[in-house]
Amino acid sequence: VTCSTGNVAFSASTKDSLTIKASTGRITVGNAVSGTFTHGNITLSTSTGNITVHDLVCEDAKITVSTGKTVIHGMKCESLSSTGDTGELSMSDVIANGSITVKRSTGDVKLGRCDAAELDIVTDTGDVTGSLLSPKVFIYNTDTGDVNLPETTTGGRALKFYASVRIDVRKSEQLKNGNDIYGNRVKC
């Protein structure tokens, strides 16, 4: 489906791939009231407008918004890629067996009960907040934003490459010699 100006709403299941492109307008896929929709691969893109996805099961999802807000709720997929220049990304109950990749120039990234084998979040001037379903080592990069994801271990700028094995390291107690602290005991 290609639309230069106007809104597109799609709420049906298909085994095939779904591609919706709009130059200016809102794209809505799924319906919070009607139940879960199933698709093969999904590609959604708009230059100016919002994209909203509700209750969707798909193989791979690629969502691109140049200027506008992106809302993804109740998605299960193998991988999800969301890119955008200006606008907020809000994801809740998004589960990816593989990876979730987010790239934003400006705009906050809000996660609620999301999970993936790999998380890669890049934002130039936005904050990353929310919650994940399990403790994670994930890659993030933000120039001026804050990262606040409780119960996560961040890779920060030091972790630029994916590792084939990731180890979750948590501080368990301080090691002392008298009153002097000389290290920490950790759990892996």
Side-chain angles (χ1 to χ4, degrees), residues 42-80:
I42 183 169
T43 302
L44 308 175
S45 66
T46 183
S47 296
T48 304
N50 298 335
I51 293 181
T52 303
V53 177
H54 284 285
D55 302 317
L56 181 70
V57 176
C58 64
E59 288 297 317
D60 296 314
K62 183 178 179 182
I63 300 173
T64 304
V65 177
S66 294
T67 303
K69 183 176 182 178
T70 304
V71 177
I72 305 169
H73 174 75
M75 177 184 271
K76 293 181 182 173
C77 58
E78 187 60 36
S79 68
L80 167 64

Side-chain angles (χ1 to χ4, degrees), residues 34-132:
S34 300
T36 302
F37 296 100
T38 305
H39 298 283
N41 295 329
I42 183 169
T43 302
L44 308 175
S45 66
T46 183
S47 296
T48 304
N50 298 335
I51 293 181
T52 303
V53 177
H54 284 285
D55 302 317
L56 181 70
V57 176
C58 64
E59 288 297 317
D60 296 314
K62 183 178 179 182
I63 300 173
T64 304
V65 177
S66 294
T67 303
K69 183 176 182 178
T70 304
V71 177
I72 305 169
H73 174 75
M75 177 184 271
K76 293 181 182 173
C77 58
E78 187 60 36
S79 68
L80 167 64
S81 171
S82 176
T83 58
D85 293 330
T86 303
E88 176 183 297
L89 168 64
S90 178
M91 295 193 304
S92 62
D93 298 313
V94 175
I95 308 294
N97 292 330
S99 65
I100 295 177
T101 303
V102 175
K103 294 182 181 174
R104 286 282 185 273
S105 295
T106 60
D108 296 339
V109 176
K110 298 177 181 179
L111 306 173
R113 299 172 313 278
C114 296
D115 207 2
E118 295 178 1
L119 292 170
D120 184 358
I121 301 174
V122 176
T123 177
D124 293 337
T125 60
D127 295 338
V128 180
T129 59
S131 64
L132 301 174

Side-chain angles (χ1 to χ4, degrees), residues 7-8 20-22 25-29 44-46 50-53:
N7 300 328
V8 177
I20 301 175
K21 296 180 181 181
R26 181 175 55 243
I27 298 174
T28 304
V29 175
L44 308 175
S45 66
T46 183
N50 298 335
I51 293 181
T52 303
V53 177

